[in-house]
Amino acid sequence: MMVPKDDESAARAPITHSGSLTRRMIVIAALWISLLLAGGGFALDRVLTSAVTQNFDDQLEYVLRSLLVSAEIGPEGEVVFNREPADQRFLEPYSGLYWQVSAKGREAFPSRSLWDRQLAYGVVHDDRAVHTYDSRQFGAEKLRIVERDVKLPGSTVRWRFQVAQSRDGLDAQIGALRRTLVRSFLLLGLGLMVLAALQTFYGLLPLRRLRLEIARMRGGRINRVAGPLPLEVAPMVEELNALVAHNETQAEEARRHAGNLAHALKTPLTVIMNAATAQSDDLADTVVREARTMRRQVDHHLARARAVGRRGSAHSRAEVWPSVESVERAVQRLYPHVRIDMDGPKDLVAHIERQDLDEIMGNLVENAAKYGGGSVFVTVGAQAGFVEIMVEDDGMGIPEEDRIRIFDRGVRLDTGKPGTGLGLAIVRDVAEIYEGTVSLEESDDLGGLLVRLRLPMAG
């Protein structure tokens, strides 16, 4: 079969995509991991830095309390210590650990480690409690200072006791701690991202296997996707297999109907060729008769092919009553002597295309008018999710033993009237395509044939 160029181009056109699903999942995981590690690292840095700084301050406060406990007022009103601080760094010039006792209007008493320098004494604030702060009063040497104002026994002067220490050791500890945190969190982040990548590749592995299975199916090596699949992928594979089965069914139906059509056309063509070869006197009549037969066969198969092509549409719906009315008007013009009565609700909708419903109803009502005794009754109703249409006539009816055979193509019980015997075959085929049924019974009211048609009700 030749494929139209437009369809072939459409089939080969590349499918646009919105990027790699693997890359998208890895990027999202990396961003989330980075955000969490950055927040956690910042919080942990604040906690550990605060803890190290507090320990540093506690040591300075301990020295400050030791100075306060050992401080006394000398005979000339100066501050003296009954016990010198034990740390030798207070005796080494510029050692980085200093103390000083100051008062407003009094000479300061510094530690030997200050040598020729003094700690700044500000009078703008009153340090009754311990006051801790950073200072750069010695230039490049950053200091951490704790101080407190007290009145010693026997003195009316409020003295300020200060203990200062270089921040170099504290900053070195904090720097080492931060380097350890950064390295640890970088290593942790790298490990988590690698884990996320492995999880993504492993999680999407069934999709890659599914792609290979589909490629094998397209290559004809397999006809279904099989094998154990994750719960999330299994429904998609089931739908894919169902789609393949549906396409195979349609292809098989197409081949079967093509064969049926070829077989149906072979006999009329043979008759025409024989008549033409024999130069029969009734050649023209033979051609017309057989051409009419071939046209009905072609119409039958085209109707079935159209119905097969439309049955997968979930939007197929037709209002039943307008179809019945239009068919009644058309048949009434063909058989003006026949009385056609209709009854039933006017709001029923069937799951079928309107033109297919018109073709079904046209065949049923026309047969009832043609073979009946002059009265046709059409009843529309609903039952158990189906639209039920009953067409009754007052004719001779059909014997029970012939009610199944009459649905075969070409079978006619009354050969005295024109026709090809394809009407009921078309009705049955189209109804079954839409998952409906058609059956023949005896009419209790009119005494003739009752055709019961059931079609799924549209939601």
Side-chain angles (χ1 to χ4, degrees):
M1 182 179 66
M2 297 296 293
V3 179
K5 292 185 177 180
D6 293 342
D7 295 344
E8 185 177 1
S9 301
R12 295 182 178 179
I15 299 177
T16 59
H17 57 81
S18 58
S20 170
L21 186 61
T22 300
R23 183 168 60 249
R24 185 181 306 176
M25 295 176 65
I26 293 176
V27 169
I28 292 175
L31 290 177
W32 185 241
I33 290 172
S34 300
L35 179 62
L36 290 180
L37 290 181
F42 177 78
L44 188 58
D45 173 75
R46 292 294 87 199
V47 171
L48 295 178
T49 300
S50 176
V52 172
T53 303
Q54 184 63 45
N55 182 64
F56 190 83
D57 293 343
D58 289 343
Q59 295 179 13
L60 293 181
E61 288 185 30
Y62 175 77
V63 176
L64 179 63
R65 286 195 299 270
S66 299
L67 291 177
L68 290 174
V69 170
S70 61
E72 296 178 351
I73 298 298
E76 297 181 1
E78 77 280 13
V79 175
V80 296
F81 295 100
N82 56 32
R83 184 178 67 249
E84 290 294 331
D87 199 320
Q88 293 299 312
R89 287 178 295 175
F90 286 121
L91 302 177
E92 299 175 8
Y94 311 132
S95 65
L97 182 61
Y98 318 104
W99 62 262
Q100 177 177 297
V101 180
S102 311
K104 185 178 180 181
R106 297 296 185 95
E107 184 179 357
F109 300 98
S111 66
R112 184 178 179 82
S113 57
L114 280 171
W115 199 246
D116 58 349
R117 299 180 301 186
Q118 288 189 358
L119 296 175
Y121 171 72
V123 296
V124 295
H125 58 279
D126 187 3
D127 294 332
R128 300 293 179 92
V130 176
H131 178 213
T132 306
Y133 60 95
D134 294 321
S135 174
R136 281 186 172 272
Q137 56 188 279
F138 290 167
E141 186 180 16
K142 295 185 292 182
L143 299 178
R144 185 72 173 172
I145 301 176
V146 294
E147 60 186 24
R148 183 180 177 184
D149 294 346
V150 297
K151 282 185 178 182
L152 296 176
S155 175
T156 59
V157 178
R158 185 174 299 278
W159 299 92
R160 175 165 295 174
F161 287 74
Q162 295 174 296
V163 178
Q165 185 173 353
S166 173
R167 281 190 58 101
D168 291 345
L170 176 61
D171 292 340
Q173 292 182 44
I174 294 176
L177 178 65
R178 286 177 175 170
R179 285 192 297 272
T180 302
L181 278 178
V182 170
R183 292 169 184 169
S184 301
F185 274 67
L186 284 177
L187 183 60
L188 177 61
L190 180 61
L192 290 175
M193 290 179 188
V194 171
L195 179 61
L198 292 176
Q199 181 180 354
T200 300
F201 280 109
Y202 179 75
L204 296 180
L205 183 60
L207 293 181
R208 288 189 286 274
R209 291 177 179 172
L210 178 60
R211 185 188 65 181
L212 296 177
E213 291 292 305
I214 294 175
R216 293 177 60 198
M217 184 188 302
R218 184 166 58 87
R221 293 189 292 273
I222 59 176
N223 57 1
R224 294 290 186 277
V225 177
L229 294 169
L231 293 176
E232 294 78 7
V233 181
M236 179 180 66
V237 175
E238 291 176 0
E239 292 297 329
L240 176 63
N241 288 336
L243 177 61
V244 172
H246 174 73
N247 290 338
E248 290 179 351
T249 301
Q250 284 194 322
E252 181 61 29
E253 287 181 352
R255 286 191 295 267
R256 185 171 65 253
H257 291 308
N260 292 341
L261 178 59
H263 181 74
L265 297 180
K266 184 182 298 183
T267 299
L269 287 174
T270 301
V271 172
I272 293 175
M273 291 180 63
N274 291 338
T277 303
Q279 297 182 355
S280 176
D281 295 336
D282 59 346
L283 176 61
D285 295 335
T286 301
V287 170
V288 172
R289 183 180 70 252
E290 299 302 327
R292 185 179 297 113
T293 300
M294 289 190 292
R295 185 181 63 183
R296 292 295 300 268
Q297 292 282 1
V298 170
D299 291 343
H300 164 70
H301 287 280
L302 287 179
R304 182 175 177 86
R306 285 195 303 269
V308 170
R310 289 190 294 261
R311 70 177 171 185
S313 175
H315 304 289
S316 299
R317 47 191 296 124
E319 296 182 5
V320 176
W321 193 259
S323 176
V324 173
E325 286 185 326
S326 64
V327 169
E328 184 270 335
R329 289 193 295 269
V331 175
Q332 195 71 67
R333 287 194 293 269
L334 294 175
Y335 302 93
H337 63 283
V338 176
R339 176 181 175 181
I340 302 176
D341 297 315
M342 301 179 297
D343 187 27
K346 298 179 174 56
D347 57 349
L348 294 180
V349 180
H351 177 55
I352 187 174
E353 288 290 333
R354 171 63 186 270
Q355 60 189 24
D356 294 329
L357 180 60
D358 289 346
E359 184 163 4
I360 290 176
M361 294 305 303
N363 276 289
L364 295 182
V365 177
E366 183 180 357
N367 283 346
K370 182 191 299 184
Y371 299 108
S375 295
V376 177
F377 192 61
V378 181
T379 306
V380 179
Q383 185 179 14
F386 284 83
V387 175
E388 189 173 74
I389 305 173
M390 293 182 292
V391 180
E392 305 175 68
D393 63 61
D394 58 349
M396 299 297 296
I398 298 177
E400 187 173 355
E401 61 271 14
D402 294 329
R403 289 176 187 172
I404 296 178
R405 187 171 63 88
I406 193 64
F407 284 106
D408 295 337
R409 288 188 296 272
V411 175
R412 298 173 57 203
L413 300 182
D414 185 358
T415 58
K417 295 184 180 181
T420 60
L422 292 175
L424 287 179
I426 292 177
V427 171
R428 180 198 59 187
D429 290 347
V430 176
E432 289 178 351
I433 287 172
Y434 287 100
E435 299 181 354
T437 60
V438 58
S439 61
L440 304 182
E441 304 172 16
E442 183 178 350
S443 174
D444 294 333
D445 296 331
L446 300 182
L449 181 66
L450 183 149
V451 182
R452 189 184 302 272
L453 173 67
R454 289 167 58 86
L455 294 171
M457 186 178 298

